[in-house]
Amino acid sequence: MIEKPYSAACDRNRDAILAVLHDHFAGRRSALEIGSGTGQHAVYFAKALPHLTWQASDRAENLGGICAWLDEAELANTPPVLEFDVRQPVWPAQRYDAVYSANTLHIMSWAEVERLFARLPEVLAADARLVVYGPFNYGGRFTSASNADFDVSLKAQAPYRGIRDFEAVDGLARASGLELLEDRAMPANNRCLVWGGG
Ligand SMILES: C[S@@+](CC[C@H](N)C(=O)[O-])C[C@H]1O[C@@H](n2cnc3c(N)ncnc32)[C@H](O)[C@@H]1O
């Protein structure tokens, strides 16, 4: 039995994110989470939003931990975690009317971010919503000294990592037929970006 991984940040940000999901995933039925990480958000949001089927997903190395959270919670609306890497050639055959991803765009390479948005329409149902949480730069500038420090630490982990420019990410979303619906400030200099379309 794998011990449940734990991220304190997930406990800190979950209610601010949940308020956004309450507003934008209200009329949706099936959500795909990309890069579920520990699995904490999947359990918390699936429990709070029982009208949604919440499909957690991540790369192979994180599946055991996510599974441990899902197994313990025993929720009726969380199917088994999906192994999913945006780089993989074959994407899920199912379509979702809600997609959620937190703290992933600064971890992926920019080529992976481009791939994520380019292929997103394949898994989006009509009138879908995309919610992306994380830190972003605006006008080429960090929004805080702590985000600038965070960017240095990301690049020390791997040079391809880094805080993304909101305008560049929104450009990818628009090229995939998505329209920005909201850009909400979150605690600790993070944002929740919400697009609609599909
Ligand atoms: C910093 S963690 C965030 C985890 C969780 N969403 C959270 O907010 O705590 C970044 C996540 O992105 C995932 N990730 C990185 N590259 C990915 C890729 N190419 N495809 C899918 N997920 C990826 C990692 O496996 C990891 O779970």
Side-chain angles (χ1 to χ4, degrees):
M1 178 82 181
I2 293 181
E3 214 167 284
K4 300 198 314 295
Y6 175 74
S7 153
C10 281
D11 278 354
R12 287 196 299 270
N13 62 29
R14 64 188 189 180
D15 287 312
I17 299 172
L18 180 59
V20 176
L21 301 186
H22 267 304
D23 289 348
H24 289 281
F25 286 179
R28 315 293 123 185
R29 291 191 303 184
S30 56
L32 171 66
E33 180 180 9
I34 298 175
S36 296
T38 62
Q40 285 164 262
H41 276 170
V43 165
Y44 195 71
F45 297 148
K47 197 169 186 176
L49 303 165
H51 66 284
L52 281 175
T53 298
W54 190 277
Q55 177 64 69
S57 81
D58 210 322
R59 300 192 295 194
E61 64 264 30
N62 289 329
L63 300 186
I66 296 166
C67 198
W69 279 92
L70 295 181
D71 283 354
E72 184 194 66
E74 291 186 319
L75 299 172
N77 59 335
T78 53
V81 61
L82 186 69
E83 181 174 344
F84 178 55
D85 185 316
V86 300
R87 295 171 298 183
Q88 70 192 44
V90 179
W91 275 45
Q94 196 181 325
R95 287 182 181 261
Y96 301 87
D97 57 10
V99 174
Y100 165 76
S101 197
N103 289 318
T104 49
L105 303 193
H106 57 268
I107 298 294
M108 295 177 186
S109 67
W110 181 247
E112 288 168 35
V113 176
E114 289 179 314
R115 186 176 175 81
L116 163 60
F117 278 92
R119 296 204 57 179
L120 206 54
E122 292 175 37
V123 296
L124 292 183
D127 194 26
R129 296 285 181 276
L130 167 67
V131 173
V132 173
Y133 169 90
F136 289 92
N137 291 338
Y138 292 79
R141 292 173 183 276
F142 295 108
T143 60
S144 66
S146 62
N147 276 3
D149 291 345
F150 183 48
D151 189 68
V152 170
S153 72
L154 285 167
K155 290 188 166 68
Q157 289 164 18
Y160 60 80
R161 291 185 174 164
I163 295 181
R164 307 300 173 198
D165 288 327
F166 159 78
E167 296 84 356
V169 174
D170 187 44
L172 296 180
R174 277 189 281 115
S176 286
L178 296 166
E179 176 198 2
L180 187 73
L181 300 178
E182 188 176 357
D183 173 359
R184 195 181 298 186
M186 295 279 108
N189 304 301
N190 287 295
R191 315 292 303 184
C192 248
L193 306 178
V194 184
W195 290 273

